[in-house]
Amino acid sequence: MKIQYSPDFSTMSKKAADLVHLEIAKKPDLLFCAASGGSPSGLYELMAQKHLSNPEFFDRLNVIKLDEWVGLPEGSEFTSEYDIQNKLLQKINLPADRCISFNSLAKNPKMECDRVEAELIEKGPIDICILGIGQNGHIALNEPADKLNVSCHVASLSEKTLASGMIQSVGIPLSKGMTMGIGNILASKMIILFITGKGKKEAFNSLLKKEIDPLLPASMLWLHPNVRVLVDESSIE
Ligand SMILES: N[C@@H]1[C@@H](O)[C@H](O)[C@@H](COP(=O)(O)O)O[C@@H]1O
């Protein structure tokens, strides 16, 4: 795990963009796993700028979405789909046939996870996995628990996640999410974990203990040989 500190959000995002653009230049058709939320939004903005200056750059890129809430109405601005579509996919003109995603409205979320898992087996592994960290140390929607799931699965959301900014204003009671499992994430060739945003300090300090603990799902990343942790110091003071 390589931890790199940046003085602010934009410097951190620029470091991520440099890494991502370098990998895509080497392998234009790579599989990019996109997280929703605030942490990667600076990266996505820089990718959108790259597209403006070099319209062919993302022409062969494939994207898979990291996670999704279960049961949000179609087109809801709170879905991860909406977030990633608006911040990244529409900006880089990525067609639907090069994007794999969980459908928030799937009638059977377990079957939806199995479908995404099967697509990932066929098209994976992920080349670059973008992650934020939850205030409780979750990655994707792998919540702290005695046991963690290897594969794509339906997750019960923790109280801390339910109280987080992202879904507080939804107005519909949510209790579950669909997510990549820890095994899917650890099978990625490169992982970029952002540490930025309010309330992340405690989880980050726990991660620095270098202990593997399912109650801190992000600690599983210590088992991976190619993880870049990009820290925005201004937000964790
Ligand atoms: N399901 C999302 C994750 O995909 C995201 O990485 C995390 C951090 O969000 P943020 O970057 O907004 O702090 O929150 C949510 O739980």
Side-chain angles (χ1 to χ4, degrees):
M1 185 177 285
K2 190 169 171 193
I3 303 176
Q4 285 177 286
Y5 292 86
S6 297
D8 51 42
F9 184 76
S10 64
T11 315
M12 177 196 76
S13 304
K14 171 82 172 58
K15 277 188 186 143
D18 288 348
L19 284 169
V20 167
H21 293 158
L22 186 69
E23 291 304 311
I24 296 174
K26 286 193 272 187
K27 187 182 177 193
D29 63 344
L30 63 70
L31 182 58
F32 179 84
C33 180
S36 55
S39 305
S41 53
L43 162 66
Y44 296 161
E45 236 176 270
L46 291 166
M47 291 174 75
Q49 281 177 26
K50 180 81 174 173
H51 175 71
L52 290 178
S53 62
N54 185 350
E56 280 108 58
F57 193 73
F58 299 108
D59 268 4
R60 294 172 61 204
L61 186 73
N62 295 287
V63 171
I64 186 164
K65 234 174 51 183
L66 181 69
D67 55 19
E68 184 58 274
W69 313 109
V70 168
L72 286 177
E74 201 171 346
S76 163
E77 60 184 297
F78 298 104
T79 57
S80 299
E81 178 72 26
Y82 185 95
D83 191 61
I84 294 169
Q85 280 289 346
N86 278 277
K87 287 181 187 157
L88 180 66
L89 305 183
Q90 288 175 12
K91 299 273 169 65
I92 64 169
N93 257 334
L94 197 112
D97 63 354
R98 282 196 275 120
C99 182
I100 307 168
S101 61
F102 300 98
N103 176 2
S104 174
L105 271 181
K107 285 211 177 78
N108 183 331
K110 158 87 175 75
M111 274 172 69
E112 181 66 356
C113 290
D114 293 347
R115 180 189 65 80
V116 173
E117 178 78 20
E119 281 212 55
L120 185 55
I121 288 169
E122 193 194 322
K123 297 181 181 147
I126 294 163
D127 290 284
I128 306 177
C129 184
I130 303 296
L131 299 174
I133 190 167
Q135 293 184 8
N136 59 2
H138 76 208
I139 46 174
L141 287 172
N142 295 276
E143 298 280 28
D146 293 341
K147 292 175 188 170
L148 298 175
N149 283 271
V150 170
S151 313
C152 295
H153 62 281
V154 180
S156 293
L157 304 175
S158 69
E159 273 179 33
K160 201 144 190 178
T161 299
L162 288 168
S164 76
M166 251 169 121
I167 55 172
Q168 234 174 12
S169 31
V170 172
I172 296 167
L174 294 180
S175 61
K176 295 199 181 311
M178 290 172 278
T179 181
M180 294 283 136
I182 292 291
N184 305 122
I185 293 170
L186 289 181
S188 308
K189 293 182 191 156
M190 174 192 274
I191 297 171
I192 297 177
L193 171 69
F194 288 111
I195 309 283
T196 182
K198 272 192 191 157
K200 307 289 176 74
K201 191 176 178 174
E202 203 183 314
F204 181 50
N205 284 339
S206 304
L207 180 65
L208 293 178
K209 287 184 190 158
K210 293 191 180 179
E211 292 166 354
I212 308 295
D213 181 355
L215 295 174
L216 185 79
S219 70
M220 297 295 147
L221 299 177
W222 283 109
L223 298 170
H224 192 280
N226 190 16
V227 179
R228 306 296 187 103
V229 180
L230 301 181
V231 186
D232 162 15
E233 280 180 302
S234 70
S235 77
I236 56 148
E237 285 158 355

